[in-house]
Amino acid sequence: MNTLKIKQHRLSQLFSAIFITTFLTSVAASTDNFSKDQGVTFEDVSAILGPYTRSATGEGLGGIAWLDYDQDGDLDLYVTNGVFAANGLFRNNGDGTFTDVSITAGVANGLGNSGVVVGDIDNDGYPDIFLTGEGRLSGPSQTPTRMYINNGDGTFADITASSGLVGSDSSLAAAMGDINNDGYLDVFIASPGHIPFLTGPGTGTSDENKLYLNNGDRTFTDITASAGVSGLYVDVFGDTVSDGACVVGFNDYNNDGWQDIVVGNCNAFFSPHIVPTPFVVRPTPLNLYRNNGDNTFTDVADSAGLNLLGLWMGLAFGDYDNDGDIDLFATSLGTSAGSQYPHALFRNNGDGTYTEISTNVGISNSEFSWGATFADFDNNGGLDLYQTGSLPLFGIIGPEKGNPGRLFMNNGEGEFTEDSSATGMDLSSKYTSGVAQADFDNDGFIDIAVMTAPFSVGPITVPSEDFVLLRNQGNENHWITVRLIGTQSNRDGIGAVIEAKTGNKIQIREVRAGSSFASSESPWPTFGLGKYQQAKITVTWPSGLTETFPGNPSDQIITLVEGSGEIQQ
């Protein structure tokens, strides 16, 4: 081969190498960005739960919890109910069917409950159930809270009286988190107070939130006052009032290793000294209680940028932009009833502050909502958003009033595109509240559960069509689900931050107990991996320990035990 041909050959090789490198880099970058909506549809499989009728008596607001109560590897379902009706515990049979075991398990109650939060309060390996009461928000009286301890044999015991978890006169939603990193889950209860025109115009709301510290022996101590999280304050007239908390969630917003508390307020009324006509609810703030590391908190909502007023009824936490910080979505009145209080997406800036960007990313223009959740429904590596809700008491139900169930898909470029047709259901004319996501059939694709309830229009009661369960039909993308077992940390790893790395892309999830609205999502986070077939997993436990588990094959549920450095088989 002469010199010219050699040079031409080498030049050809060089161009080929450049082309291949550029192509592979382009493919990798494209894959890492996961910029394309991968497509997903849902099937209504509500019928697999069997007969379950919501009570027509009471608020109608209800919560949902996903938990593996019998530790068989399948997520079971707990749903609350109104006054004079039984709650439901549906055991997942692992074959696409459920069996109602609420009576035999001892958790039917029947006195009326709204919120439900699940967590292993005694670290025995079996999740326990805490229930808020029901009825005080607009009704004349509150039903009692309930604390059910899991016996580990398929049954629960009611330890409410001995536990000390009483709550206030209007307990509505709750969440669990380990505020002092002692390995035990503490409980925060959000209390909205009552709507005053039912008990005398202008009486306002003054019920306080409650924070209970876990003593490690199945009892709790009320530290609300000393912790500084009651939500009570003295107004300009000298009256002690609150802004009426409807939702709460734990989240380490500033990544300092301590669980902070976000409270959404939605039920504040003008002072008893000012009785507006017609009856008016005033806009309320969010509370961001920064954990000081000594069982006390400081409300930093204003300085952190969470100072937007609204009527906040739902919270969803998730790193939608994959920058390593947990962002916050809060539901409000939205576009319903001529509202000037839209939903808000607060992007975490990574420096202890937030920026509200909902309009910029395409998710502000939707109706009233209670529940909302972030999840990667199409497993393309970006968190999507689902929300729904209605409020018959104020006529916020029906077309263009109630939320039909809006699904916003993350396009991987910092924006969302609505694809509500994927769910195949219009919920705008149903009374919906609680929303919780979980992969109940272990196929790697996240499903959606929505609570419904009967409601009244004048003398007519419109029945609910039981419960809504939407099964994700999936696609060809890969996934990995992570289950944690804490040893120094709390048993479920609540508060742990899990990182999944594929190529140059890093996703994070926070494990939490208590989600939006008045519900508990899956305790096992699922990561969408797109076309990748393995992921490196890193866990930062509440104890402070960080462990890395490399080379995990996709399309499986892995169990990681704190301190072992190994995957449990």
Side-chain angles (χ1 to χ4, degrees):
M1 183 178 292
N2 61 37
T3 303
L4 179 59
K5 288 184 177 179
I6 290 174
K7 288 182 177 179
Q8 289 176 333
H9 178 65
R10 288 178 177 171
L11 192 60
S12 175
Q13 286 182 318
L14 177 62
F15 282 138
S16 295
I18 292 173
F19 172 79
I20 291 171
T21 301
T22 303
F23 174 76
L24 291 178
T25 302
S26 174
V27 170
S30 175
T31 305
D32 281 344
N33 287 334
F34 297 108
S35 59
K36 184 179 180 181
D37 178 2
Q38 301 295 299
V40 68
T41 59
F42 292 82
E43 176 189 6
D44 180 4
V45 295
S46 309
I48 67 176
L49 294 177
Y52 175 73
T53 303
R54 285 278 293 166
S55 170
T57 303
E59 300 286 353
L61 298 173
I64 305 155
W66 292 101
L67 70 162
D68 186 8
Y69 87 97
D70 51 3
Q71 294 296 286
D72 66 349
D74 298 304
L75 288 173
D76 312 298
L77 181 67
Y78 189 88
V79 294
T80 63
N81 213 331
V83 180
F84 307 129
N87 299 333
L89 174 60
F90 297 90
R91 185 186 64 219
N92 190 329
N93 299 321
D95 60 0
T97 65
F98 290 81
T99 300
D100 187 349
V101 296
S102 50
I103 295 178
T104 57
V107 291
N109 194 19
L111 298 179
N113 301 108
S114 285
V116 53
V117 58
V118 171
D120 187 355
I121 66 166
D122 56 358
N123 293 331
D124 67 349
Y126 290 89
D128 310 302
I129 300 172
F130 176 73
L131 303 169
T132 67
E134 194 264 4
R136 183 64 167 165
L137 180 60
S138 64
S141 61
Q142 171 83 346
T143 59
T145 59
R146 283 288 179 265
M147 181 70 240
Y148 290 110
I149 200 79
N150 193 325
N151 296 321
D153 60 0
T155 68
F156 291 76
D158 184 349
I159 64 165
T160 307
S162 61
S163 72
L165 289 171
V166 180
S168 71
D169 287 338
S170 62
S171 301
L172 180 64
M176 294 182 183
D178 185 358
I179 67 168
N180 54 3
N181 291 336
D182 67 347
Y184 289 94
L185 292 174
D186 311 300
V187 180
F188 190 101
I189 305 174
S191 305
H194 54 281
I195 295 176
F197 64 78
L198 294 179
T199 53
T203 59
T205 174
S206 60
D207 285 349
E208 65 177 354
N209 302 321
K210 291 289 187 178
L211 177 60
Y212 293 92
L213 192 68
N214 191 327
N215 300 318
D217 58 0
R218 297 184 176 181
T219 69
F220 293 78
T221 298
D222 183 351
I223 63 167
T224 307
S226 62
V229 294
S230 69
L232 299 180
Y233 62 93
V234 178
D235 67 10
V236 295
F237 297 99
D239 295 314
T240 298
V241 297
S242 77
D243 290 320
C246 284
V247 64
V248 60
F250 284 93
N251 163 240
D252 182 8
Y253 84 99
N254 55 0
N255 294 326
D256 67 351
W258 297 96
Q259 288 290 290
D260 310 298
I261 304 171
V262 181
V263 175
N265 298 297
C266 75
N267 193 39
F269 297 87
F270 288 92
S271 165
H273 299 277
I274 303 175
V275 184
T277 304
F279 173 76
V280 177
V281 179
R282 65 176 172 84
T284 55
L286 291 156
N287 300 121
L288 173 57
Y289 293 112
R290 185 189 63 210
N291 193 327
N292 299 322
D294 59 1
N295 289 346
T296 70
F297 294 78
T298 301
D299 189 355
V300 296
D302 285 348
S303 60
L306 294 186
N307 51 358
L308 185 66
L309 295 179
L311 285 92
W312 308 114
M313 287 158 287
L315 301 173
F317 298 89
D319 183 14
Y320 89 94
D321 51 2
N322 289 334
D323 67 349
D325 300 298
I326 302 296
D327 309 298
L328 171 65
F329 179 75
T331 66
S332 185
L333 289 179
T335 60
S336 298
S339 164
Q340 299 179 16
Y341 306 109
H343 312 301
L345 175 60
F346 297 96
R347 184 186 62 210
N348 192 323
N349 298 320
D351 60 0
T353 68
Y354 294 84
T355 300
E356 203 289 307
I357 58 167
S358 57
T359 301
N360 299 338
V361 300
I363 59 174
S364 65
N365 190 29
S366 59
E367 302 86 351
F368 176 100
S369 291
W370 284 108
T373 184
F374 276 118
D376 187 0
F377 293 112
D378 59 353
N379 283 348
N380 73 338
L383 289 176
D384 312 304
L385 177 70
Y386 180 83
Q387 57 165 253
T388 191
S390 54
L391 188 59
L393 179 63
F394 291 102
I396 303 177
I397 194 166
E400 300 182 1
K401 296 179 181 179
N403 193 306
R406 301 230 176 245
L407 177 63
F408 297 93
M409 305 301 294
N410 191 327
N411 66 11
E413 299 175 349
E415 296 179 350
F416 293 83
T417 302
E418 186 178 355
D419 187 17
S420 294
S421 62
T423 65
M425 293 194 74
D426 180 354
L427 301 176
S428 61
S429 296
K430 300 180 186 298
Y431 186 6
T432 58
S433 52
V435 172
Q437 54 88 359
D439 176 19
F440 78 85
D441 52 2
N442 290 340
D443 67 350
F445 288 87
I446 298 173
D447 313 300
I448 302 173
V450 180
M451 177 61 74
T452 68
F455 64 95
S456 297
V457 178
I460 302 173
T461 296
V462 180
S464 70
E465 296 179 8
D466 299 330
F467 188 81
V468 174
L469 181 60
L470 302 174
R471 180 162 55 199
N472 194 327
Q473 299 294 83
N475 54 36
E476 296 182 355
N477 281 341
H478 298 289
W479 55 275
I480 193 165
T481 296
V482 181
R483 179 181 181 183
L484 300 183
I485 297 180
T487 53
Q488 297 302 310
S489 304
N490 65 85
R491 173 76 181 201
D492 295 333
I494 303 301
V497 176
I498 306 174
E499 173 188 293
K501 183 175 182 181
T502 51
N504 296 322
K505 186 183 187 67
I506 296 177
Q507 303 174 60
I508 66 169
R509 302 283 191 275
E510 237 182 2
V511 184
R512 58 176 36 87
S515 59
S516 179
F517 156 77
S519 300
S520 279
E521 297 179 333
S522 171
W524 309 337
T526 294
F527 294 85
L529 305 183
K531 303 308 176 186
Y532 284 99
Q533 296 186 40
Q534 69 174 24
K536 181 173 76 173
I537 303 297
T538 300
V539 181
T540 301
W541 299 86
S543 66
L545 175 67
T546 297
E547 291 181 284
T548 298
F549 305 83
N552 303 283
S554 65
D555 305 330
Q556 64 168 331
I557 300 173
I558 61 173
T559 300
L560 308 180
V561 181
E562 182 180 15
S564 72
E566 298 179 353
I567 300 174
Q568 186 181 80
Q569 301 299 323

